Every structure is written in C-alpha cells, then in structure tokens.
Amino acid sequence: MESHQDIARILLRYRAFLIATHVLPDGDAIGSTLGLGFGLQKMGKRVIMSCPGGVPDSLAFLPGSNRIVAPDHISGEFDAVVVIDSSDLDRIEGIAGKIPPGTPVINIDHHVTNRMFGTYNYVDPGAAAAGEQVYRILVAMQVPVDRDMAMCLFTAVGTDSGFFRFSNTSPTTLRIAARLVEKGAEPFRVSEQVYETKTLGSLKLLGRVLDTLHVDESGKVAWLEVRREWLSEFGVDEGQTEGFVNYPRMVKGVEVALLFRESAEGKVRVGMRSRGDFDVSALAEAFNGGGHSRAAGCSMDALSLEDARRAVLQKVYEMMARAR
Ligand code: AMP
Ligand code: MN
Ligand code: MN
C-alpha cells in the first residue's frame, strides 16, 4: 500500500496520464478527477480524463467538466493511468480495455471493498471522499490549489459526505472543506446545482417511485423500485435517480434501505444504505458489488426486478440472523 506522499512522488515520474472514474459518476468521481487533472496540468503534465457514460447534467457546472470524455473518445498517448473512486476495474467499464498492457495503474480510492487492482494502491477507507485523498496528494506535490480546483474538490468532499451530514464526516473532512472554501469554493453554488436543481421529469418520477415504497414486517428493511419504462415516460436518465435511496432510509425504525433500478442495459442496479450496524458493503460484495459500510451497491445481470429483490432480501435476512 502506498501513502499519499508516495503517490505524489510516483505521479511526478510520468508525463501523460489517463484519469478514469466510475460509471454513473457522482460528485466525488467527477470532482476528484477534475481536481487531480487540473493539478497534474499545473505540474506540466498532459491529461486525458474519461468516465463511462460521460458527465451527468447536475455536474456540468464544474469547471472543465466538458473535458471528461466517454471511453470511445479516449485518444492520445499516456504513460500512466489513474483510477479514482472505483473499487474494481469493472466500475470503469469500457475504459479498462483501453489500457495497454504494462501501463502502470495508480488506484486512488476510499471504498473498504477495494480490490487493490493497481500497480500502486492508495486506498483509505477513513477518507470521506476520494476528493480528500486527491487534496492530500496535491498538497504533497506542492501544487497551489486555485479556485477551479477548490470548487471541484469541494464538490467531491461535500457530496460524498451528504454535505457533512453522514457518519463518514470527520474533523479532517471539515478541515479540508474549510481550506477549499478559503481557496474559493462556493458551497451554496454546489448545493444549489447538485441538490436544488431538478428537472420536472425527475421530480414526477420520484412521485411514481415513492408509490413503490415498501417496509417489511419487521419494520427494519425498506425499499423502492424504479422500472425502466418509467425513465423514458418521464424523459429521465438513470443518473437522475441518484438520491432516491435516501427516502426508504428515512423511514423511522428502518436499518437497511434498498433501491432497485432496472438499468438501461437489462441489468438491475441495487443501491444500499444502512443506518445502524448492518454492513451494506458486505451485502454488496455478496453480489460482486462494493462500497462502504453504510452506502454500497451492486449490479445484477439477467434478472427481473422481482428476482433481484428476492435474492437481495434473502441475503439481508440471512446476515441479520447471523448477527443476532
Ligand atoms: P450508489 O447507491 O450508486 O450511490 O452507490 C453507493 C456506493 O456503493 C458508492 O460508494 C459506490 O461507489 C458503491 N457502488 C455502487 N454500485 C456499485 C457496484 N456495482 N460495484 C461496486 N461498488 C458499487
Ligand atoms: Mn463515487
Ligand atoms: Mn467516493
């Protein structure tokens, strides 16, 4: 395992980078990618940035977001690859196949389920966001953090910590956020863009999805379902359902919240949240997914929504029985 100082030294050895992050990217994925990309450019490096599916509209306000390309548009040479906020290479879908054999891979991530797939691995489950790790690397490289970088990294740290409400928020998270605000990040703009600007369709879809809210007999498990045809009915893409999983989590007494989404590629994606001792990262790993103890997810293939729900609920009860 490498430290942030090691990674800073390693990055300085290479000239051109491909920075890749995970499919259905969140604020941490995009913010960390851009923050590191800007930093490396300041050090005179060439940078290509990519993410499967591209940047969602809600994050297009970030400076430089139009420079993040879909995997098919990766062009140019690079002598090292940085993978950010991704617990395994499946998370960067079409990008992994574009990495020439022998190219060093630098894995920067904070998921407890990280598979240590890199040539170099800086994995810190204590970090609330990959953005915290990128900030430490930039400081170690002595790159001055400008306003654009601050905005991107603040978005990374702010969104993954639920704007400093989730249990991963540490004194370090708040200190880094304060430094980023001093450097010009504007929390109100991030909050307004990410949380308070929704399309009419996505709010109407939320209405439909909330109708599917179920709580089991024990009152401890709740879930929502998103049918694929609803996305086209309301003109909404899958990324705009981010955050829906927070609703079953709010139900009083609920310990495990689940969101089942019929995904565009004929898969079911499952979002998982815990508000107690239940470790959803272990639940996700049982289905080849990953995440953190209180927020995790997986993708399941060739299953109906009902089958996915049955399989995941069965595993939840099995794990709850074992914990007793
Ligand atoms: P989400 O429910 O999509 O917000 O994801 C919650 C957490 O689980 C995030 O940290 C994701 O990186 C992780 N996660 C979600 N889906 C997967 C997956 N298919 N494989 C690995 N990790 C995942
Ligand atoms: Mn992420
Ligand atoms: Mn993250």
Side-chain angles (χ1 to χ4, degrees), residues 87-88 91 111 261 271-273 288-292 295-299:
S87 51
D88 61 69
R91 297 283 286 154
H111 292 94
R261 298 186 281 202
M272 306 165 174
R273 297 291 184 274
N288 285 315
H292 314 282
C298 68
S299 288

Side-chain angles (χ1 to χ4, degrees), residues 191-211:
S191 153
E192 200 166 81
Q193 294 291 330
V194 177
Y195 299 110
E196 282 161 54
T197 308
K198 304 286 179 203
T199 62
L200 178 61
S202 74
L203 289 172
K204 295 275 191 193
L205 173 65
L206 174 61
R208 175 77 56 85
V209 171
L210 281 177
D211 261 346

Side-chain angles (χ1 to χ4, degrees), residues 280-307:
V280 284
S281 75
L283 175 65
E285 272 193 310
F287 299 98
N288 285 315
H292 314 282
S293 60
R294 291 189 173 200
C298 68
S299 288
M300 300 168 80
D301 279 322
L303 276 175
S304 67
L305 248 172
E306 288 70 24
D307 288 337

